[in-house]
């Protein structure tokens, strides 16, 4: 009997990623190096970029993700694996306060305009804060609200001259948002917690994080205008 593409064993789909793993690794390393070698992003006090963190998708986590998507009704097969799942390689660009985001955004935009990188989709800012929604409108970045109150800006970058699915998800967030993300990841990944108290506490923490980011912005504005 012919096996439908959607019924391909998960292990075979994971093998497809293993075959291309090195391409994802090389591209994400090259993107990280571009961020780390840019003088405008790595000089001054404080530097616009505080930390660059990189990771490749764990194969066991990929298998779990395919199973979850299939359980939710999504068809994941050999033809659409690299379009349905796009976080095989990821970078996290951390900065100290929100005003620094503009420099990082401008850097990415310049790389895209100069055809070094290609955006596979329009960037998206996950935020629950109405003031942040207005802030990201200045960059014509669409916003979205996640029930978890997750906050970060996502860019999906690909090499300008490759069309084989190789890409790198770049998440840009403040250090305050990183603290929330690390705590949320510990509790909600790979499966979200069912404890409502934890959900509510994480939402409260998200609001404290937003307050911290704004206060950091205000501190530097006062300092720069002294």
């Amino acid at each position: 009997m012919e096996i439908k593409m959607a019924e391909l064993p998960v292990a075979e789909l994971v093998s497809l990623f293993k075959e291309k793993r090195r391409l994802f690794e090389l591209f994400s390393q090259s993107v990280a190096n571009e961020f780390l070698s840019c003088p405008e992003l790595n000089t001054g006090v404080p530097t616009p970029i505080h930390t660059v963190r990189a990771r490749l998708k764990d194969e066991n986590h990929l298998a779990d993700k395919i199973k979850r998507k299939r359980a939710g009704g999504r068809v994941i097969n050999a033809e659409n694996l690299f379009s349905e799942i796009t976080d095989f390689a990821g970078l996290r660009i951390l900065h100290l306060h929100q005003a620094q985001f503009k420099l990082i955004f401008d850097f990415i935009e310049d790389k895209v305009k100069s055809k070094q990188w290609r955006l596979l989709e329009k960037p998206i800012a996950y935020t629950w804060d109405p003031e942040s929604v207005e802030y990201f409108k200045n960059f014509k970045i669409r916003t979205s609200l996640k029930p978890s109150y997750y906050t970060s800006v996502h860019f999906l970058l690909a090499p300008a001259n490759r069309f084989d699915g190789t890409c790198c998800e770049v998440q840009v967030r403040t250090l305050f948002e990183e603290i929330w993300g690390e705590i949320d990841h510990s509790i909600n990944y790979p499966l979200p917690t069912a404890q409502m108290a934890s959900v509510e506490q994480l939402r409260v923490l998200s609001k404290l994080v937003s307050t911290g980011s704004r206060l950091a912005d205000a501190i530097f504005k006062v300092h720069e205008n002294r």
Side-chain angles (χ1 to χ4, degrees), residues 48-51 53 91-98 100-101 104 126 136 150-155 169-185 209 213:
I49 287 181
H50 180 275
T51 306
R53 301 180 66 181
L91 292 181
R92 196 170 298 156
I93 310 297
L94 306 180
H95 55 103
L96 193 54
H97 58 96
Q98 193 177 50
Q100 295 171 315
F101 173 81
I104 298 169
Y126 295 101
F136 289 118
Y150 169 87
T151 56
S152 191
V153 184
H154 286 203
F155 299 83
E169 182 184 78
V170 176
Q171 302 173 359
V172 182
R173 64 175 70 159
T174 66
L175 284 172
F176 277 110
E177 291 170 332
E178 175 70 354
I179 293 171
W180 183 94
E182 288 294 315
I183 295 173
D184 176 77
H185 187 83
V209 160
S213 292

Side-chain angles (χ1 to χ4, degrees), residues 141-212:
I141 295 177
R142 62 193 170 110
T143 58
S144 179
L145 169 63
K146 284 202 169 188
S148 65
Y149 279 27
Y150 169 87
T151 56
S152 191
V153 184
H154 286 203
F155 299 83
L156 188 57
L157 302 175
N161 299 318
R162 295 184 68 98
F163 299 88
D164 58 0
T166 304
C167 62
C168 177
E169 182 184 78
V170 176
Q171 302 173 359
V172 182
R173 64 175 70 159
T174 66
L175 284 172
F176 277 110
E177 291 170 332
E178 175 70 354
I179 293 171
W180 183 94
E182 288 294 315
I183 295 173
D184 176 77
H185 187 83
S186 300
I187 293 173
N188 282 319
Y189 190 83
L191 297 175
T193 179
Q195 295 188 12
M196 284 307 299
S198 296
V199 173
E200 289 301 318
Q201 287 171 339
L202 280 168
R203 286 189 172 188
V204 173
L205 180 61
S206 180
K207 293 181 178 180
L208 290 174
V209 160
S210 177
T211 302

Side-chain angles (χ1 to χ4, degrees), residues 6 24 44 85 92 105 127-128 151 154 183 216-217 224:
F24 282 94
I85 298 176
R92 196 170 298 156
F105 175 83
T127 182
W128 55 268
T151 56
H154 286 203
I183 295 173
D217 251 358
E224 290 166 3

